[in-house]
Amino acid sequence: CESLTSIDLSGITSKNNDNLQEMFYGCKLLKSIDISHFDFSKTRCFYGMFQNCISLTSIEFPKTKIPILENLSNMFSGCESLTSIDLPIFNTKSRFLTMKRVFSGCKSLISLDLSSLNTELAENMDQLFNGCKSLVYLNINSFSTQNVKSMSSMFYGCESLSALSLQNFDTTKVISMNYMFYKCSSLKYLDISSFSKSISTLSIYNFIPNEEGLLKVNKEFYNELIKNNRIDKWKIQFAN
């Protein structure tokens, strides 16, 4: 659908469809998509649904809730023109097993409120916001990460984010945080006071850029962090 400039989906419903994988993948010229009439009650997989829709500026979602989700990976990956995403369909107790690269490459995205997401079963958040270089506001205060095993490049290239408070993050099962905040060049405040090294093989190379700012961290994690990262420009505040 690379040459498709518009699409009328009024006669199509997703009822009884549990998989919408790559439904609009690569529709590079589409600027708007209206799926407000879709029935997502049985949909489990949204993998790559809008991936590489580089001209897309508007998506109309249904207001219905989704009982359970299993795969959101790449859902908006490469949507370079989206400045905001309203996600009413996720205002529910849905549980995501994998959230890899969901917003990766959304370089025009300015704000994102994910406070309604239930992520308690999520296992992978690799590159979740990778390349969201215009993002200035991000609400992930409700994220549950007790089952997440990898956060590599999660915020890689979020050049406009100036502050992140992740004191609610549980990292006891995480085995990789490589490049987690790499190239976050505007970051001046970072609270990772809840981060811990529970896995002996935890990998945290190139975790954070060496910029001036305030870093809140617990001493155990700090001692691990300085083994493979230069953070001498940061002002360190140890958690109680």
Side-chain angles (χ1 to χ4, degrees):
C1 63
E2 288 189 3
S3 301
L4 196 65
T5 57
S6 63
I7 187 170
D8 182 0
L9 300 167
S10 58
I12 299 176
T13 175
S14 62
K15 189 176 182 180
N16 298 323
N17 194 333
D18 66 352
N19 191 335
L20 295 179
Q21 179 172 330
E22 299 181 345
M23 184 174 184
F24 302 100
Y25 179 92
C27 293
K28 296 181 178 180
L29 300 181
L30 273 182
K31 293 185 177 181
S32 65
I33 295 176
D34 185 351
I35 51 173
S36 57
H37 61 289
F38 272 28
D39 182 351
F40 288 156
S41 60
K42 296 185 179 180
T43 307
R44 301 290 182 266
C45 179
F46 291 85
Y47 178 94
M49 187 174 181
F50 305 100
Q51 187 173 359
N52 292 337
C53 290
I54 60 175
S55 301
L56 196 61
T57 59
S58 172
I59 307 173
E60 293 291 330
F61 285 109
K63 304 297 182 183
T64 54
K65 296 182 179 181
I66 303 175
I68 188 168
L69 294 175
E70 296 177 356
N71 195 335
L72 283 181
S73 291
N74 294 314
M75 185 172 182
F76 304 101
S77 179
C79 290
E80 299 178 354
S81 301
L82 280 176
T83 58
S84 64
I85 304 174
D86 185 13
L87 301 173
I89 60 168
F90 300 136
N91 187 16
T92 178
K93 293 295 183 181
S94 301
R95 300 175 178 182
F96 318 121
L97 294 180
T98 177
M99 299 175 67
K100 191 173 182 179
R101 297 188 299 269
V102 180
F103 304 100
S104 179
C106 291
K107 64 182 184 179
S108 299
L109 201 59
I110 297 173
S111 65
L112 194 57
D113 186 348
L114 303 178
S115 58
S116 65
L117 296 188
N118 181 344
T119 63
E120 64 186 37
L121 293 183
E123 296 179 355
N124 192 323
M125 292 187 177
D126 279 354
Q127 303 179 56
L128 180 55
F129 307 104
N130 179 23
C132 293
K133 64 181 185 179
S134 299
L135 196 62
V136 295
Y137 173 79
L138 177 64
N139 187 344
I140 51 174
N141 294 335
S142 65
F143 268 30
S144 297
T145 61
Q146 67 266 31
N147 289 304
V148 177
K149 297 177 181 177
S150 185
M151 296 180 176
S152 290
S153 301
M154 186 173 178
F155 302 95
Y156 187 113
C158 289
E159 300 173 1
S160 301
L161 277 179
S162 60
L164 274 173
S165 296
L166 305 179
Q167 69 270 27
N168 59 313
F169 272 33
D170 181 343
T171 64
T172 52
K173 293 184 180 180
V174 178
I175 60 176
S176 178
M177 297 182 190
N178 294 332
Y179 297 95
M180 187 168 180
F181 304 98
Y182 199 66
K183 293 192 176 180
C184 292
S185 53
S186 298
L187 200 58
K188 301 301 179 186
Y189 175 86
L190 179 61
D191 186 344
I192 53 171
S193 54
S194 66
F195 281 33
S196 62
K197 180 184 178 295
S198 299
I199 306 296
S200 60
T201 56
L202 174 66
S203 182
I204 48 176
Y205 288 93
N206 294 316
F207 179 76
I208 190 173
N210 192 23
E211 304 284 350
E212 293 183 358
L214 176 62
L215 178 64
K216 300 182 74 171
V217 61
N218 70 66
K219 207 155 193 175
E220 178 195 26
F221 191 80
Y222 170 82
N223 290 334
E224 191 65 27
L225 189 60
I226 58 177
K227 291 179 181 179
N228 298 300
N229 298 270
R230 280 195 61 194
I231 55 173
D232 54 281
K233 291 184 179 180
W234 285 89
K235 179 181 179 182
I236 307 300
Q237 181 177 329
F238 290 116
N240 296 328

